[in-house]
Amino acid sequence: MARTIAFKLMTPSRVIYDGRAELVIVVTTEGEEGILPSHAPLLAALKPGVLRANVADDAGVSRLMVATGEGFLQALPDRVTVLVDEALHFDDVDVAAARRELADATGRQRAPGTDPAAFAREQAIIDFAAAKLRLTGH
Amino acid sequence: MPSVRDLRDRLRSLKNTQQITKAMKQVAAAKIRRAELARKQARPYAETLAEMLDELIGSVSHVDHPFMKPGRSGAPAGVVLIAADKGLCGAFNSHLARMAELLHKEHPDARFYTVGTKARNAVRRFGVADHPTWLLGSPSKLGVARDVAQRVSDDFSQGTISEIVLISAKLISMLSQRPEKRRLVPIVPGDFHAAAAQPSAAGPKGSLEFVPSPQFVLSRLLPKYLEFTFFLAMLETDAAFFAAQLLAMNNATENASKLIDELTIQMNNARQAAITKELLEIVAGAEALNHT
């Protein structure tokens, strides 16, 4: 069995996953980053995207996929912790609502006179909606 | 002496009141459990967030963020007051309001931001009519916390306010809650160290990597920390409110029981007196007839 690290995924309202993983792939502001055991200490800002992890329990290794909002990743040699604003499993995604959010946010972002802060906020909504759609295969 | 009928009416209304207070007590007890659960679920996130900040500050030689520097000198303080939306909870809300009022007397130019209907009303009462306000009991507490954080940090970075002070309730135990005043911004790095789940061992500087940069991660983490502090304070105030309400309703129910006992005795006395009086009249009447 491959080596594993402690992996924790949390949102403000609950702990989504708390167990062990062989590999965790997150989307940082700079692109995707894969975390394996014994990773050098790292603190990363995450942008909304699809988080993938090969999680391991007694039954074996399985794939965990969640659409996540903005957040942070902390990697230490023996553990990796991910904090995100929101996290949704495949079954929790409302595809129609995600489509609507995507369209609305895109519309607001393109409106004239949007200041940079508002632009970034809308971009986060767009990215999260896109991640939800990608997770559900749309 | 009130008549039997008056007493009976009062008793009936008292019993109704007691039923209401008893029901409210049970509702508060159920809600307190839910509020406590929400608090417990939010804790791991809070601790990790503090740990990340502690690590970050411990591993870079120089941190630079508006939140870590004193605000514009001469600007008033910004006070965020969190209280309940409803009453019937003893002196819970008025204790919080008093703390805010004292602060207002000391610094009449302080700007207020309130969460909770009672907080809003209290601040209006002491003369700050126009201020941003939110509801404590809104469906998305996190959304409210985000809005509050956004608003105060905008005001802070624009120099409208020089510091951010939070007044909220602290739940010490089910029987005791007290208002608490904390200064959130400017931030003291030691705060994170105390709140972290596993305080960093202060490793060699530069041993931690950042994506994309320490500056960027910090600029994302600090607002998140502020937002989350408001969220936790709202959860705690909520739990403390229900604890206060539980206690208040428990006392009310007990007082009603005592009153009901007293009134029942009074009513029985009054009824007995009326019966005795009637008997006396009958006997006296009969006696009078016998003597004729």
Side-chain angles (χ1 to χ4, degrees):
Chain A
M1 192 169 142
R3 291 191 308 138
T4 58
I5 34 168
F7 169 49
K8 236 182 187 182
L9 173 60
M10 290 181 274
T11 71
S13 52
R14 66 200 178 101
V15 177
I16 305 282
Y17 185 84
D18 184 2
R20 303 200 64 84
E22 284 182 349
L23 167 71
V24 180
I25 302 170
V26 293
V27 186
T28 73
T29 50
E30 309 297 292
E32 291 202 333
E33 180 110 22
I35 311 289
L36 287 162
S38 308
H39 197 283
L42 170 77
L43 205 53
L46 306 183
K47 68 176 219 172
V50 178
L51 178 146
R52 288 166 289 160
N54 292 349
V55 296
D57 53 25
D58 297 339
V61 176
S62 55
R63 201 78 205 269
L64 174 77
M65 280 177 86
V66 257
T68 54
E70 281 190 346
F72 307 95
L73 166 116
Q74 176 199 44
L76 293 170
D78 60 339
R79 64 196 162 103
V80 50
T81 314
V82 177
L83 297 184
V84 286
D85 288 350
E86 295 168 89
L88 287 176
H89 288 287
F90 182 90
D91 297 335
D92 302 330
V93 174
D94 180 343
V95 174
R99 284 225 171 91
R100 222 167 26 243
E101 282 162 26
L102 184 64
D104 289 355
T106 313
R108 283 197 301 271
Q109 198 184 39
R110 285 190 187 145
T114 313
D115 65 90
F119 190 89
R121 269 201 299 281
E122 301 302 347
Q123 188 60 46
I125 298 174
I126 291 170
D127 288 342
F128 187 47
K132 285 190 272 193
L133 292 175
R134 202 156 57 244
L135 178 72
T136 46
H138 286 88
Chain B
M1 182 106 182
S3 74
V4 178
R5 177 183 296 233
D6 289 342
L7 286 168
R8 196 181 294 137
D9 286 350
R10 274 189 66 192
L11 258 177
R12 193 174 301 140
S13 104
L14 250 178
K15 280 183 180 157
N16 279 338
T17 311
Q18 193 191 26
Q19 266 175 354
I20 293 169
T21 58
K22 209 185 262 174
M24 286 188 74
K25 179 183 142 189
Q26 278 157 353
V27 170
K31 287 201 169 159
I32 217 171
R33 267 196 290 277
R34 213 183 308 156
E36 276 291 286
L37 186 71
R39 230 153 64 89
K40 204 185 275 169
Q41 281 169 335
R43 203 165 298 141
Y45 187 98
E47 283 169 355
T48 313
L49 202 58
E51 190 184 323
M52 286 181 182
L53 275 161
D54 184 35
E55 252 182 32
L56 192 154
I57 289 165
S59 68
V60 294
S61 50
H62 174 71
V63 281
D64 184 37
H65 191 272
F67 282 2
M68 311 200 70
K69 285 183 273 192
R72 195 172 67 86
S73 66
V79 182
V80 180
L81 174 66
I82 305 181
D85 286 332
K86 290 177 191 160
L88 292 175
C89 52
F92 177 78
N93 287 316
S94 40
H95 280 159
L96 286 162
R98 176 140 344 118
M99 189 174 257
E101 197 172 356
L102 284 177
L103 210 131
H104 177 65
K105 274 197 186 120
E106 250 174 74
H107 309 280
D109 56 347
R111 295 176 78 95
F112 280 89
Y113 309 82
T114 54
V115 180
T117 316
K118 293 285 172 182
R120 183 195 68 197
N121 294 348
V123 169
R124 278 193 185 153
R125 215 173 305 124
F126 58 72
V128 191
D130 195 23
H131 64 273
T133 182
W134 294 267
L135 281 181
L136 179 66
S138 70
S140 164
K141 282 201 174 50
L142 197 61
V144 171
R146 205 162 283 169
D147 285 353
V148 176
Q150 185 79 44
R151 184 68 188 255
V152 291
S153 41
D154 282 355
D155 283 359
F156 182 81
S157 39
Q158 282 163 13
T160 320
I161 53 176
S162 62
E163 57 176 354
I164 300 172
V165 176
L166 170 69
I167 298 179
S168 65
K170 189 170 175 58
L171 179 70
I172 298 161
S173 74
M174 282 301 147
L175 296 177
S176 131
Q177 311 84 30
R178 78 160 185 243
E180 189 188 38
K181 190 170 77 181
R182 281 183 287 168
R183 198 175 72 173
L184 301 181
V185 174
I187 288 170
V188 187
D191 290 356
F192 309 131
H193 201 67
Q198 296 179 14
S200 72
K205 297 215 182 291
S207 64
L208 187 61
E209 276 179 56
F210 297 94
V211 172
S213 69
Q215 205 49 56
F216 184 87
V217 176
L218 187 70
S219 73
R220 281 277 200 90
L221 271 174
L222 282 180
K224 189 58 60 182
Y225 184 77
L226 188 67
E227 180 184 312
F228 210 68
T229 309
F230 287 132
F231 179 60
L232 281 183
M234 283 170 70
L235 289 181
E236 184 157 11
T237 304
D238 210 30
F241 164 72
F242 288 121
Q245 187 168 57
L246 178 72
L247 194 66
M249 288 301 120
N250 195 30
N251 287 341
T253 309
E254 272 171 24
N255 288 343
S257 291
K258 239 181 261 167
L259 262 179
I260 286 172
D261 286 351
E262 270 170 35
L263 276 181
T264 310
I265 290 172
Q266 257 188 48
M267 191 185 75
N268 288 346
N269 281 343
R271 196 182 54 208
Q272 197 56 53
I275 293 168
T276 314
K277 196 173 136 209
E278 251 173 64
L279 272 176
L280 273 176
E281 275 165 8
I282 294 166
V283 173
E287 284 288 303
L289 282 179
N290 281 345
H291 282 287
T292 49

